[in-house]
Amino acid sequence: MRRVRYEHTGGPLLLEDVPVPTAAPGELLVRTEAIGVTLPVVRKVTEAAGPIALGGEIAGEVVAVGEGVTRFRAGDRVTGLCFGHGYADYAPLLEAMATPIPESASAVDAVALVRSGLVALGVLEAARPAPGESALVTAAAGGVGHLAVQLARLRGASRVVGAVSAPGKAEFVRGLGADEVITYDSADWGTPVDYALDAVGGDLLTPAVAALAPGGRLVAYSSGGGSVQAYDLLVGAKSVIGFQMARIARGEPELYERWRQELWRLFTDRALKPAVHGEFALEDAAKAHEAIESRSNFGKVVLRP
């Protein structure tokens, strides 16, 4: 089978032929039909000390199951987060991380919706939104952000502000339901909001915290780092909350499953519409990474084996 790898920090990404893996105990072996590309994986390639397995969101057909697997069998269509080599024709998937794909959804729908949607729903829950409150979503055109904009509206936000890297993304974000769209370099971020969902971090944390109304909450889920001055929180009685999806997946499986079911319900009801920026062949993984790294994507970036 084909698999994408790299030999040193920064790449390049290479396509290699390797044997098809076997399903270990508790694992499914999935013939991949769609693979989601995420910013954290792109950053690991460019920043990690050494080469890592390119994992991430996968969707496809189960071809074999390992010892102890009870919920799935060969022929089932599933999606989930792969911690091993996911940029491949066949990939291992822990049974605990797998969810069935409804008949009404494609593999591309699944990787555009489930993992990114779980993060979007999780950060929204962490913000503890009340009906009628206003929201700010950074990276609003991205794989998670474009779903967060829609979910904030569905959860009763009276006003949704999308923050993006370039003016050319404004029309797309407004089409998702945002009332206002600003760019990161805007001098004025408008009327303060009750909560902010931040996927960017770094230098953007300061203006994002400044955009909060007194008592406002910022949920940080970026891999971009950054710091906040305690005084900036003190004077406005503001708070910053960190969110990590892995903690929910490993520590609160019932909540994780409930969120997954809610996402599929919203998708089936056509209330939540995942967008796909582009589909790239496995051998074009570098181009897919470039779309993410340059922040030029509108929605999810997907690899198709």
Side-chain angles (χ1 to χ4, degrees), residues 63-102:
V63 295
V65 299
E67 182 181 352
V69 171
T70 59
R71 294 171 48 227
F72 300 98
R73 62 183 180 181
D76 288 344
R77 299 170 67 239
V78 298
T79 186
L81 184 63
C82 168
F83 295 109
H85 287 279
Y87 284 29
D89 290 317
Y90 294 84
L93 179 63
L94 289 171
E95 180 183 22
M97 301 303 297
T99 184
I101 301 174

Side-chain angles (χ1 to χ4, degrees), residues 21 26 52 54 80 93 109 112 117 126 167 172 177 182-183 200 220 267 280:
I52 62 163
L54 297 176
L93 179 63
D109 290 331
F172 171 73
I182 59 170
T183 55
V200 181
F267 173 83
F280 296 82

Side-chain angles (χ1 to χ4, degrees), residues 116-278:
S116 294
L118 283 168
V119 174
L121 191 55
V123 296
L124 186 61
E125 291 274 2
R128 305 183 307 279
E133 286 191 321
S134 53
L136 167 70
V137 179
T138 67
V144 174
H146 86 285
L147 296 173
V149 168
Q150 297 176 67
L151 287 166
R153 181 65 78 198
L154 289 169
R155 287 295 181 91
S158 60
R159 170 173 157 257
V160 179
V161 181
V164 296
S165 59
K169 297 183 177 182
E171 183 179 354
F172 171 73
V173 175
R174 285 195 182 94
L176 301 170
D179 300 287
E180 304 164 32
V181 182
I182 59 170
T183 55
Y184 300 148
D185 57 0
S186 297
D188 182 6
W189 282 30
T191 304
V193 298
D194 296 300
Y195 63 92
L197 312 178
D198 179 47
V200 181
D203 294 339
L204 199 70
L205 276 175
T206 297
V209 169
L212 293 173
R217 297 90 64 197
L218 181 145
V219 181
Y221 65 102
S222 164
S223 58
S227 60
V228 176
Q229 295 295 323
Y231 183 76
D232 294 339
L233 303 179
L234 176 64
V235 294
K238 302 173 183 180
S239 59
V240 175
I241 304 156
F243 179 82
Q244 184 189 51
M245 193 70 241
R247 188 187 68 81
I248 303 296
R250 293 169 180 158
E252 301 184 61
E254 292 181 359
L255 176 61
Y256 190 78
E257 180 58 29
R258 188 162 70 247
W259 286 352
R260 287 196 293 200
Q261 292 177 3
E262 180 175 353
L263 289 170
W264 282 125
R265 178 183 61 78
L266 291 170
F267 173 83
T268 301
D269 292 345
R270 300 184 182 277
L272 185 62
K273 300 176 181 178
V276 175
H277 171 79

Side-chain angles (χ1 to χ4, degrees), residues 9-13 37-48 87 142-143 165 169 184 200 223 277 280 285-299 301:
T9 301
L13 299 182
V37 181
T38 64
L39 181 58
V41 171
V42 172
R43 281 184 169 155
K44 286 177 180 178
V45 172
T46 58
E47 299 173 6
Y87 284 29
S165 59
K169 297 183 177 182
Y184 300 148
V200 181
S223 58
H277 171 79
F280 296 82
K287 294 180 181 178
H289 276 217
E290 172 58 26
I292 296 287
E293 200 166 18
S294 64
R295 296 191 179 276
S296 63
N297 59 302
F298 291 62
V301 174

